[in-house]
Amino acid sequence: MTRFRLDRKYDVILCLFSSIGYVKTLEMLVQTLTQFKEHLNEEGVILVEPWLTPDVWTTGRVDTIMTEHRGIHMSRMSHSDREGDISIMKMEYLFGSEHGIEHYTEEHRLGLFTVKEMIEAFQEAGLRVEHDPEGLIGRGMYIARNVK
């Protein structure tokens, strides 16, 4: 997201499911939004669904999901942590069937940006931005256009 060059421009650029958090730092956020702007038609729009803000992120939270379908049992346990302005989600997966149990692990690190930081990053990238605090699922939405 931070560095790409396509040979065309678009009417709409979408960055959904909180994936903007993977840029991790304010510097990379501005660089990403600048990339988006460079690929936007003059009258186009950029929609960015943010990751959680620093005040909402909960360190030490544990969540568990379990399900079964057609003889395959799956469970996911996650744990939240934080290093400065980086949220950390560690996830452990177990898949069990008549053939045995498999174990997988993954870790996600996403930047925690305030609404003010997000708005300032859009502005620094040369975009006009509005913030909808509700958005699609309650995490908000940033709607940006070229500055005229």
Side-chain angles (χ1 to χ4, degrees):
M1 251 189 302
T2 60
R3 281 181 248 143
F4 64 95
R5 296 272 188 258
L6 305 175
D7 293 329
R8 57 188 297 196
K9 295 193 176 211
Y10 299 88
D11 293 328
V12 179
I13 296 174
L14 300 173
C15 185
L16 303 177
F17 307 110
S18 303
S19 59
I20 197 69
Y22 286 101
V23 302
K24 296 181 188 156
T25 67
L26 289 171
E27 177 183 339
M28 295 306 278
L29 175 60
V30 171
Q31 183 174 323
T32 300
L33 296 173
T34 301
Q35 292 297 314
F36 290 176
K37 181 182 188 285
E38 289 178 7
H39 290 83
L40 189 65
N41 283 328
E42 188 176 320
E43 298 296 322
V45 64
I46 299 169
L47 301 174
V48 176
E49 183 179 35
W51 178 230
L52 301 173
T53 56
D55 60 320
V56 173
W57 181 253
T58 304
T59 300
R61 180 180 169 137
V62 176
D63 288 307
T64 304
I65 298 172
M66 295 187 305
T67 190
E68 184 274 332
H69 184 70
R70 295 185 179 176
I72 298 174
H73 298 257
M74 191 281 292
S75 66
R76 181 188 82 183
M77 185 173 285
S78 63
H79 178 266
S80 65
D81 207 347
R82 183 173 178 168
E83 289 177 6
D85 287 329
I86 303 291
S87 63
I88 303 166
M89 291 185 305
K90 296 178 182 177
M91 290 179 256
E92 303 281 335
Y93 297 89
L94 289 174
F95 293 90
S97 71
E98 63 185 44
H99 304 291
I101 298 173
E102 296 178 39
H103 175 248
Y104 301 93
T105 301
E106 66 180 347
E107 182 176 284
H108 294 263
R109 293 174 171 260
L110 291 87
L112 296 165
F113 307 115
T114 66
V115 171
K116 181 177 185 266
E117 289 171 330
M118 289 289 293
I119 289 171
E120 289 172 352
F122 277 98
Q123 293 170 341
E124 190 174 335
L127 295 159
R128 276 185 305 124
V129 65
E130 298 172 39
H131 176 245
D132 169 9
E134 184 61 29
L136 299 172
I137 61 168
R139 288 190 185 159
M141 183 70 70
Y142 293 92
I143 303 108
R145 293 180 168 80
N146 283 310
V147 174
K148 291 187 178 184

